[in-house]
Structures are given as C-alpha cells and as structure tokens.
C-alpha cells in the first residue's frame, strides 16, 4: 500500500492509548501470540481461530520485499494492521476483537494490492455470544491508532490535549469536485504523509473541527514546508496532508492546534471544554526514503 519508503522515527516516546471496557472490569488474560510467516508468495498463519478479546500476532517477514499484515472484518473494514515489516524482521500486532464471526488475515508483499488472504474464525470467549459493550468499529479505531502511533510516531500532552503524530509515505485520497469524489494520487515530489491526531486527554476521544497547521523544520530551525491539514476518514479519523521533504535527515515537527469550531454544551459558570488551542513540538524525527 505504501511502497518504496521506510521510516525510522526517533524522539518522544509514545504512551499507549487505552480503551477501557464499561464497568472497569479487568481484561481477560491474553493467549500466546499467533505466529505468522510472511514471504513474497505466502502468508502462513499458525492458527486460523481464536476467542474474542485481544488477539496477538507475531509476524516474521522471510521474503525480499517490505510487507504488511492485516486482520479484516466480514465487511472488509480494517480491525488491526501493522505496516513496514522489512525483510528479515519481525513485528507484533494485537487486535481487539469484540464480536465472534468470520474474519480475514492478509499479508501484503510490497505493501500493495489485496494481499495473500486466508479465513480466520473468532469464537465467543467462554462459549457465550454476548453482545459487545463497545461496537467493534470503535474498538478497531483506537486499536489501530495505538499501534500506528507506537510504530510510526509519538505523542505528548499539552493542557487538556493529548496530541499524537504519525509519519508515513505520501498517500492518495479522494477529494470533492462539484459534489463528486475524485481520486487524487500522491503528486510528484510528495514524500511523506504527516498525520496529527488531537485527542481530549480526559476522555480519550478524537476531537473533530480542529484547525491544525504543521511546520517541518530542519536542523537549523528553517521551515522546510508548512501546511494546514485536512480531516480524513480512514481506519481512524485524523488530520493530515502530504509534504515534500527534499532529503533524508532529522527534522522537527511543530503542530499548532486552534480551538475547535464546534458549539459546546455546559453551565454558565463552567469553563467551556477545549476552548484553548495548543502547540506541540516533536524533535528528533528522522525521515528516511529508499527506492
């Protein structure tokens, strides 16, 4: 899906986003990780079934191409994913699955296309098919977000905000033209897709309607490129744009968040929620391009 670019991201350590089940009950013990051996022509998953709850996978890339691993739901939505698994390396992935049923695993050699797919069955833990307290789509959004911040970015807290960032290869998207959605491929010269995720620290919710501007600064403090970000629908909602970084090196990302433009409920004596913006600086972000 994102060929030719491999990122090494250093700097601020990323704390995990945690989605707590209703009632504060402790999570069930996690079973041993399911081993996945990926190659350029195969995707061998050691077990094709598991129980609801956290399902861990350990993916070893034995091929010659960078690969990805996905768990899809029955409607094709991404439950969890891990990207940029280089040849000869291994990565782990934990999918939070709340609903029993038929799922699909996929390895994507070269990070493109539909991948090498196999059926995967999830049964109800304890044999009871109880309705999930949290919809699977909500669980998946925060599970994938947590994994990508851990693997390809970082986060920090500023006042009432938790601000995460993710850097990937330049990506395509759909944009509106006269009421119709048109596909826009990554333009020549665009090298990186920089994502900012504004989160309300007190609740863990991704916040909509936030005007965000990001500057990419070089080692001398000069702005290589600055852009206002757009809001995107994907595995998780986020703000992003493609940037053009002329050469590999270590950079600083400076994200400026304005107060959200939505209206707020509350009492007259209260301070309106998220009524102030924030600025977050992520240093030591090493951007490397290959191929």
């Amino acid at each position: 899906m994102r060929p030719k670019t491999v990122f090494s991201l250093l700097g601020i350590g990323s704390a995990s986003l945690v989605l707590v089940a209703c009632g504060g009950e402790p999570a069930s013990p996690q079973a041993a990780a399911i081993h996945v051996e990926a190659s350029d022509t195969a995707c061998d998953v050691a077990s094709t079934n598991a129980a609801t709850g956290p399902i861990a996978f350990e993916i070893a890339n034995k091929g010659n191409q960078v690969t990805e691993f996905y768990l899809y739901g029955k409607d094709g939505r991404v439950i969890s994913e891990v990207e940029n698994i280089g040849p000869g390396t291994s990565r782990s992935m934990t999918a939070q699955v709340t609903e029993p049923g038929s799922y699909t695993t996929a390895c994507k050699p070269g990070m493109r296309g539909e991948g090498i797919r196999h059926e995967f069955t999830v049964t109800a833990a304890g044999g009871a098919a109880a309705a999930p307290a949290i919809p699977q789509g909500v669980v998946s959004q925060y599970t994938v977000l947590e994994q990508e911040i851990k693997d390809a970015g970082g986060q920090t807290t500023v006042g009432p905000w938790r601000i995460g960032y993710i850097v990937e290869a330049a990506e395509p998207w759909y944009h509106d033209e006269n009421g119709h959605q048109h596909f826009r491929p990554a333009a020549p010269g665009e090298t990186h897709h920089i994502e900012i995720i504004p989160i309300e620290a007190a609740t863990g919710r991704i916040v909509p309607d936030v005007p965000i501007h990001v500057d990419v600064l070089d080692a001398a403090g000069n702005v290589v490129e600055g852009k206002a970000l757009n809001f995107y629908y994907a595995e998780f909602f986020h703000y992003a744009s493609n940037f053009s970084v002329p050469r590999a090196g270590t950079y600083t990302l400076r994200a400026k968040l304005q107060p959200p433009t939505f209206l707020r409920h509350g009492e007259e004596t209260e301070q309106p929620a998220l009524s102030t913006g924030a600025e977050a600086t992520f240093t030591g972000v090493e951007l490397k391009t290959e191929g």
Side-chain angles (χ1 to χ4, degrees):
M1 183 170 67
R2 301 180 178 93
K4 301 183 181 178
T5 304
V6 178
F7 301 99
S8 174
L9 297 168
L10 309 175
I12 291 180
S14 59
S16 297
L17 300 179
V18 179
L19 186 63
V20 180
C22 295
E25 297 179 359
S28 301
Q30 184 170 318
I34 297 171
H35 182 72
V36 180
E37 186 169 301
S39 70
D40 298 342
T41 58
C43 184
D44 297 326
V45 183
S47 177
T48 58
N49 59 81
T52 53
I55 304 174
F57 296 87
E58 184 69 23
I59 306 98
N61 185 2
K62 303 297 185 180
N64 297 314
Q65 302 182 70
V66 177
T67 194
E68 300 174 323
F69 182 74
Y70 287 79
L71 179 66
Y72 292 102
K74 61 183 179 181
D75 56 358
R77 72 182 185 276
V78 175
I79 303 301
S80 192
E81 64 175 359
V82 60
E83 303 175 340
N84 292 314
I85 310 171
T89 66
S90 297
R91 294 278 295 277
S92 60
M93 180 188 90
T94 299
Q96 296 288 346
V97 182
T98 62
E99 300 174 6
S102 297
Y103 293 77
T104 302
T105 58
C107 298
K108 291 189 179 182
M111 301 196 297
R112 61 172 65 88
E114 292 296 310
I116 303 167
R117 298 188 171 213
H118 299 290
E119 293 184 357
F120 189 86
T121 302
V122 177
T123 57
I134 303 172
Q136 180 65 65
V138 176
V139 175
S140 299
Q141 171 174 233
Y142 287 97
T143 301
V144 174
L145 173 60
E146 176 187 350
Q147 189 72 48
E148 292 206 6
I149 288 178
K150 176 182 177 182
D151 292 343
Q155 64 179 0
T156 189
T157 300
V158 182
W161 298 92
R162 181 189 299 168
I163 303 167
Y165 80 91
I166 298 165
V167 181
E168 298 175 325
E171 296 183 1
W173 59 73
Y174 285 90
H175 68 104
D176 182 80
E177 288 184 9
N178 301 319
H180 298 282
Q181 293 292 313
H182 291 268
F183 185 76
R184 176 207 185 271
E190 294 179 342
T191 58
H192 301 85
H193 190 69
I194 298 177
E195 304 177 0
I196 296 293
I197 305 91
I199 301 159
E200 185 180 27
T203 65
R205 297 181 296 184
I206 298 171
V207 182
D209 297 338
V210 182
I212 300 176
H213 183 94
V214 167
D215 289 321
V216 179
L217 291 78
D218 62 18
N222 300 313
V223 176
V224 174
E225 188 171 22
K227 285 189 174 182
L229 303 188
N230 300 305
F231 188 68
Y232 285 85
Y233 172 95
E235 290 87 356
F236 51 86
F237 292 107
H238 62 276
Y239 300 76
S241 190
N242 284 350
F243 286 72
S244 299
V245 178
R247 61 185 61 85
T250 301
Y251 294 86
T252 294
L253 304 182
R254 184 174 62 204
K256 296 181 179 179
L257 283 62
Q258 300 298 321
T261 59
F262 50 63
L263 303 180
R264 296 157 175 81
H265 284 295
E267 300 297 329
E268 186 176 4
T269 57
E270 296 176 339
Q271 174 70 21
L274 299 174
S275 57
T276 59
E279 180 172 321
T281 300
F282 301 98
T283 60
V285 180
E286 188 178 355
L287 305 181
K288 293 183 177 180
T289 59
E290 297 182 0

